[in-house]
CSV table of all heavy atoms in Angstrom, one decimal:
chain,number,residue,atom,x,y,z
A,1,ARG,N,5.1,-27.4,-33.2
A,1,ARG,CA,6.1,-27.4,-32.2
A,1,ARG,C,7.5,-27.7,-32.9
A,1,ARG,O,8.5,-27.1,-32.6
A,1,ARG,CB,5.8,-28.5,-31.2
A,1,ARG,CG,4.7,-28.1,-30.2
A,1,ARG,CD,4.2,-29.3,-29.5
A,1,ARG,NE,5.2,-29.9,-28.7
A,1,ARG,CZ,5.2,-31.2,-28.2
A,1,ARG,NH1,4.1,-31.9,-28.4
A,1,ARG,NH2,6.2,-31.6,-27.5
A,2,ILE,N,7.5,-28.7,-33.8
A,2,ILE,CA,8.7,-29.0,-34.5
A,2,ILE,C,9.2,-27.8,-35.3
A,2,ILE,O,10.4,-27.5,-35.3
A,2,ILE,CB,8.5,-30.2,-35.4
A,2,ILE,CG1,8.2,-31.5,-34.6
A,2,ILE,CG2,9.7,-30.5,-36.4
A,2,ILE,CD1,7.8,-32.7,-35.4
A,3,GLN,N,8.3,-27.2,-36.0
A,3,GLN,CA,8.7,-26.0,-36.8
A,3,GLN,C,9.3,-24.9,-35.9
A,3,GLN,O,10.3,-24.3,-36.3
A,3,GLN,CB,7.4,-25.4,-37.5
A,3,GLN,CG,7.6,-24.2,-38.3
A,3,GLN,CD,6.3,-23.6,-38.9
A,3,GLN,OE1,5.4,-24.4,-39.1
A,3,GLN,NE2,6.2,-22.3,-39.0
A,4,ARG,N,8.7,-24.7,-34.7
A,4,ARG,CA,9.3,-23.6,-33.8
A,4,ARG,C,10.7,-24.0,-33.3
A,4,ARG,O,11.5,-23.1,-33.3
A,4,ARG,CB,8.3,-23.5,-32.6
A,4,ARG,CG,7.0,-22.8,-32.9
A,4,ARG,CD,6.1,-22.8,-31.7
A,4,ARG,NE,4.9,-22.2,-31.9
A,4,ARG,CZ,3.8,-22.4,-31.2
A,4,ARG,NH1,3.8,-23.3,-30.2
A,4,ARG,NH2,2.6,-21.7,-31.5
A,5,VAL,N,10.9,-25.2,-33.0
A,5,VAL,CA,12.2,-25.6,-32.4
A,5,VAL,C,13.2,-25.5,-33.5
A,5,VAL,O,14.4,-25.1,-33.3
A,5,VAL,CB,12.1,-27.1,-31.8
A,5,VAL,CG1,13.5,-27.5,-31.4
A,5,VAL,CG2,11.1,-27.1,-30.7
A,6,LEU,N,12.9,-25.9,-34.7
A,6,LEU,CA,13.9,-25.9,-35.8
A,6,LEU,C,14.3,-24.4,-36.1
A,6,LEU,O,15.4,-24.1,-36.5
A,6,LEU,CB,13.3,-26.5,-37.1
A,6,LEU,CG,13.1,-28.0,-37.0
A,6,LEU,CD1,12.5,-28.6,-38.3
A,6,LEU,CD2,14.5,-28.7,-36.8
A,7,GLN,N,13.3,-23.5,-36.0
A,7,GLN,CA,13.6,-22.1,-36.2
A,7,GLN,C,14.4,-21.5,-35.0
A,7,GLN,O,15.3,-20.7,-35.2
A,7,GLN,CB,12.3,-21.3,-36.3
A,7,GLN,CG,11.6,-21.6,-37.6
A,7,GLN,CD,10.2,-20.8,-37.7
A,7,GLN,OE1,9.7,-20.4,-36.7
A,7,GLN,NE2,9.7,-20.8,-38.9
A,8,ARG,N,14.1,-22.0,-33.8
A,8,ARG,CA,14.8,-21.5,-32.6
A,8,ARG,C,16.2,-22.1,-32.4
A,8,ARG,O,17.1,-21.4,-32.0
A,8,ARG,CB,14.0,-21.9,-31.4
A,8,ARG,CG,14.5,-21.4,-30.1
A,8,ARG,CD,13.7,-22.0,-28.9
A,8,ARG,NE,14.0,-23.4,-28.7
A,8,ARG,CZ,13.3,-24.2,-28.0
A,8,ARG,NH1,12.2,-23.8,-27.4
A,8,ARG,NH2,13.6,-25.5,-27.9
A,9,ASP,N,16.3,-23.4,-32.8
A,9,ASP,CA,17.6,-24.1,-32.6
A,9,ASP,C,18.1,-24.6,-33.9
A,9,ASP,O,17.9,-25.8,-34.2
A,9,ASP,CB,17.4,-25.3,-31.6
A,9,ASP,CG,16.8,-24.8,-30.2
A,9,ASP,OD1,17.0,-23.7,-29.9
A,9,ASP,OD2,16.2,-25.6,-29.6
A,10,PRO,N,18.8,-23.8,-34.7
A,10,PRO,CA,19.2,-24.2,-36.0
A,10,PRO,C,20.2,-25.4,-36.0
A,10,PRO,O,20.5,-26.1,-37.0
A,10,PRO,CB,19.9,-23.0,-36.6
A,10,PRO,CG,20.2,-22.1,-35.4
A,10,PRO,CD,19.1,-22.4,-34.4
A,11,GLN,N,20.8,-25.6,-34.8
A,11,GLN,CA,21.8,-26.7,-34.7
A,11,GLN,C,21.1,-28.1,-34.7
A,11,GLN,O,21.8,-29.1,-34.8
A,11,GLN,CB,22.7,-26.6,-33.5
A,11,GLN,CG,22.0,-26.9,-32.1
A,11,GLN,CD,21.2,-25.8,-31.6
A,11,GLN,OE1,20.9,-24.8,-32.3
A,11,GLN,NE2,20.8,-25.9,-30.3
A,12,ARG,N,19.8,-28.1,-34.5
A,12,ARG,CA,19.0,-29.4,-34.4
A,12,ARG,C,18.4,-29.6,-35.8
A,12,ARG,O,18.0,-28.7,-36.5
A,12,ARG,CB,18.0,-29.3,-33.3
A,12,ARG,CG,18.5,-29.3,-31.9
A,12,ARG,CD,17.3,-29.5,-30.9
A,12,ARG,NE,17.8,-29.8,-29.6
A,12,ARG,CZ,17.5,-29.1,-28.5
A,12,ARG,NH1,16.7,-28.1,-28.6
A,12,ARG,NH2,17.9,-29.5,-27.3
A,13,ASP,N,18.2,-30.9,-36.1
A,13,ASP,CA,17.5,-31.3,-37.3
A,13,ASP,C,16.1,-31.9,-36.9
A,13,ASP,O,15.9,-32.2,-35.7
A,13,ASP,CB,18.3,-32.3,-38.2
A,13,ASP,CG,18.7,-33.5,-37.5
A,13,ASP,OD1,17.9,-34.0,-36.6
A,13,ASP,OD2,19.7,-34.1,-37.8
A,14,ARG,N,15.3,-32.2,-37.8
A,14,ARG,CA,13.9,-32.6,-37.5
A,14,ARG,C,13.9,-34.0,-36.7
A,14,ARG,O,13.2,-34.2,-35.8
A,14,ARG,CB,13.1,-32.8,-38.8
A,14,ARG,CG,11.7,-33.4,-38.7
A,14,ARG,CD,11.0,-33.4,-40.0
A,14,ARG,NE,10.7,-32.0,-40.4
A,14,ARG,CZ,9.7,-31.3,-40.1
A,14,ARG,NH1,8.7,-31.8,-39.3
A,14,ARG,NH2,9.5,-30.1,-40.6
A,15,LYS,N,14.9,-34.8,-37.1
A,15,LYS,CA,14.9,-36.2,-36.5
A,15,LYS,C,15.2,-36.0,-35.0
A,15,LYS,O,14.6,-36.7,-34.1
A,15,LYS,CB,16.0,-37.0,-37.1
A,15,LYS,CG,16.1,-38.4,-36.5
A,15,LYS,CD,17.1,-39.3,-37.3
A,15,LYS,CE,17.2,-40.7,-36.7
A,15,LYS,NZ,18.2,-41.5,-37.4
A,16,GLN,N,16.2,-35.1,-34.6
A,16,GLN,CA,16.5,-34.9,-33.2
A,16,GLN,C,15.3,-34.3,-32.5
A,16,GLN,O,15.1,-34.8,-31.3
A,16,GLN,CB,17.7,-33.9,-33.2
A,16,GLN,CG,19.0,-34.4,-33.7
A,16,GLN,CD,20.1,-33.4,-33.7
A,16,GLN,OE1,19.9,-32.2,-34.0
A,16,GLN,NE2,21.3,-33.8,-33.3
A,17,VAL,N,14.6,-33.4,-33.1
A,17,VAL,CA,13.5,-32.8,-32.4
A,17,VAL,C,12.4,-33.9,-32.1
A,17,VAL,O,11.8,-34.0,-31.1
A,17,VAL,CB,12.9,-31.6,-33.2
A,17,VAL,CG1,11.6,-31.1,-32.5
A,17,VAL,CG2,13.9,-30.5,-33.3
A,18,GLU,N,12.2,-34.7,-33.1
A,18,GLU,CA,11.1,-35.8,-33.0
A,18,GLU,C,11.6,-36.8,-31.9
A,18,GLU,O,10.7,-37.3,-31.2
A,18,GLU,CB,10.9,-36.5,-34.3
A,18,GLU,CG,10.2,-35.6,-35.4
A,18,GLU,CD,10.0,-36.3,-36.7
A,18,GLU,OE1,10.7,-37.3,-37.0
A,18,GLU,OE2,9.1,-35.9,-37.4
A,19,GLN,N,12.9,-37.0,-31.8
A,19,GLN,CA,13.3,-37.9,-30.8
A,19,GLN,C,13.1,-37.4,-29.4
A,19,GLN,O,12.7,-38.1,-28.4
A,19,GLN,CB,14.8,-38.2,-30.9
A,19,GLN,CG,15.2,-39.1,-32.1
A,19,GLN,CD,16.7,-39.3,-32.4
A,19,GLN,OE1,17.5,-38.5,-31.9
A,19,GLN,NE2,17.0,-40.4,-33.0
A,20,ILE,N,13.3,-36.1,-29.2
A,20,ILE,CA,13.0,-35.4,-27.9
A,20,ILE,C,11.5,-35.5,-27.6
A,20,ILE,O,11.2,-35.8,-26.5
A,20,ILE,CB,13.5,-33.9,-28.0
A,20,ILE,CG1,15.0,-33.8,-28.1
A,20,ILE,CG2,13.0,-33.2,-26.7
A,20,ILE,CD1,15.5,-32.4,-28.4
A,21,ILE,N,10.7,-35.3,-28.6
A,21,ILE,CA,9.2,-35.3,-28.4
A,21,ILE,C,8.8,-36.7,-28.0
A,21,ILE,O,8.0,-36.9,-27.1
A,21,ILE,CB,8.5,-34.9,-29.6
A,21,ILE,CG1,8.7,-33.4,-29.8
A,21,ILE,CG2,7.0,-35.2,-29.5
A,21,ILE,CD1,8.1,-32.8,-31.1
A,22,GLN,N,9.4,-37.7,-28.6
A,22,GLN,CA,9.1,-39.1,-28.3
A,22,GLN,C,9.4,-39.5,-26.9
A,22,GLN,O,8.8,-40.4,-26.3
A,22,GLN,CB,9.8,-40.1,-29.3
A,22,GLN,CG,9.2,-40.0,-30.7
A,22,GLN,CD,10.1,-40.8,-31.7
A,22,GLN,OE1,11.1,-41.4,-31.3
A,22,GLN,NE2,9.6,-40.8,-32.9
A,23,LYS,N,10.4,-38.9,-26.3
A,23,LYS,CA,10.9,-39.2,-24.9
A,23,LYS,C,10.0,-38.5,-23.9
A,23,LYS,O,10.0,-38.9,-22.7
A,23,LYS,CB,12.3,-38.7,-24.7
A,23,LYS,CG,13.3,-39.6,-25.5
A,23,LYS,CD,14.7,-39.1,-25.2
A,23,LYS,CE,15.8,-40.0,-26.0
A,23,LYS,NZ,17.1,-39.5,-25.8
A,24,GLN,N,9.2,-37.5,-24.3
A,24,GLN,CA,8.3,-36.8,-23.4
A,24,GLN,C,6.9,-37.5,-23.4
A,24,GLN,O,6.6,-38.1,-24.4
A,24,GLN,CB,8.2,-35.3,-23.8
A,24,GLN,CG,9.5,-34.5,-23.7
A,24,GLN,CD,9.3,-33.1,-24.2
A,24,GLN,OE1,8.4,-32.7,-24.9
A,24,GLN,NE2,10.2,-32.2,-23.7
A,25,LEU,N,6.2,-37.3,-22.3
A,25,LEU,CA,4.9,-37.9,-22.2
A,25,LEU,C,4.0,-37.4,-23.3
A,25,LEU,O,4.0,-36.1,-23.5
A,25,LEU,CB,4.4,-37.6,-20.8
A,25,LEU,CG,3.2,-38.4,-20.3
A,25,LEU,CD1,3.6,-39.9,-20.1
A,25,LEU,CD2,2.6,-37.8,-19.0
A,26,PRO,N,3.2,-38.2,-23.9
A,26,PRO,CA,2.3,-37.8,-25.0
A,26,PRO,C,1.3,-36.7,-24.5
A,26,PRO,O,0.9,-36.8,-23.3
A,26,PRO,CB,1.6,-39.0,-25.5
A,26,PRO,CG,2.5,-40.1,-25.1
A,26,PRO,CD,3.2,-39.7,-23.8
A,27,GLU,N,0.9,-35.8,-25.3
A,27,GLU,CA,0.0,-34.7,-24.9
A,27,GLU,C,-1.3,-35.3,-24.4
A,27,GLU,O,-2.0,-34.8,-23.5
A,27,GLU,CB,-0.2,-33.8,-26.1
A,27,GLU,CG,1.0,-33.1,-26.6
A,27,GLU,CD,1.6,-32.2,-25.5
A,27,GLU,OE1,1.1,-31.1,-25.3
A,27,GLU,OE2,2.6,-32.6,-24.9
């Protein structure tokens, strides 16, 4: 998921994506 988002949204970095994931309910 992180890999996909980084490819899709180049303006985001790994830390930002991980922060978004942390705010969402765990799978």
Side-chain angles (χ1 to χ4, degrees):
R1 290 166 58 198
I2 293 173
Q3 179 184 329
R4 286 173 180 160
V5 177
L6 291 175
Q7 290 175 345
R8 183 190 72 192
D9 304 334
Q11 75 278 12
R12 288 189 169 125
D13 59 33
R14 179 175 292 272
K15 184 178 179 181
Q16 289 175 322
V17 179
E18 289 180 340
Q19 287 176 338
I20 294 172
I21 290 175
Q22 287 172 3
K23 290 180 181 178
Q24 296 179 337
L25 197 67
E27 299 297 282

